[in-house]
């Protein structure tokens, strides 16, 4: 017999007879069912957490504009020519 059916039979026998003590295996069935419910709850929480992370990860890229990358020549103001001439280094005006 499955554990759930044994628990259902135990619960039915509790309702049919007014015994001071529960039938054999009643508490084991209660704890097994509580453990299953806890496992289902944890599984559901992990599924919701993973779905939320996937939604945030996929949704974060939609607001970003896609502009093409352009290569620009590096402009160094100290190396453009006139600033490194001997006259400018000696502060001599032509």
């Amino acid at each position: 017999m499955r554990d759930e059916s044994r628990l259902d039979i135990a619960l039915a026998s509790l309702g049919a007879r007014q015994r001071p003590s529960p039938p054999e295996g009643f508490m084991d069935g209660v704890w097994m069912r509580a453990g299953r419910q806890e496992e289902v709850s944890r599984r559901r929480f992990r599924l919701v957490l993973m779905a939320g992370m996937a939604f945030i990860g996929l949704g974060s890229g939609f607001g970003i504009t896609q502009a093409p990358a352009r290569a620009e020549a590096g402009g160094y103001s100290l190396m453009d020519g006139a600033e490194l001439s001997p006259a400018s280094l000696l502060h001599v005006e032509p």
Side-chain angles (χ1 to χ4, degrees), residues 59-79:
S60 64
F62 284 120
I64 299 172
T65 58
Q66 297 287 330
R70 294 183 210 132
E72 295 183 11
Y76 300 106
S77 62
L78 292 176
M79 298 175 67

Side-chain angles (χ1 to χ4, degrees), residues 4 7 14-15 24 29-30 34 38 40-41 47 63 67-68 75 92:
E4 290 181 10
L7 182 61
L14 259 182
E24 191 71 31
V30 168
E38 178 69 23
V40 168
S41 174
L47 179 67
V92 176

Side-chain angles (χ1 to χ4, degrees), residues 13-14 17 21-22 24 26 33 35 39 42 46 53 55-56 58 65-66 68-69 72 74 87 90-91:
S13 69
L14 259 182
R17 299 181 233 148
S21 64
E24 191 71 31
F26 175 74
R33 188 170 284 187
E39 182 181 347
R42 284 184 185 168
R46 281 189 299 231
M53 288 171 45
F55 178 75
I56 290 171
L58 292 173
T65 58
Q66 297 287 330
E72 295 183 11
L90 295 173
H91 301 290

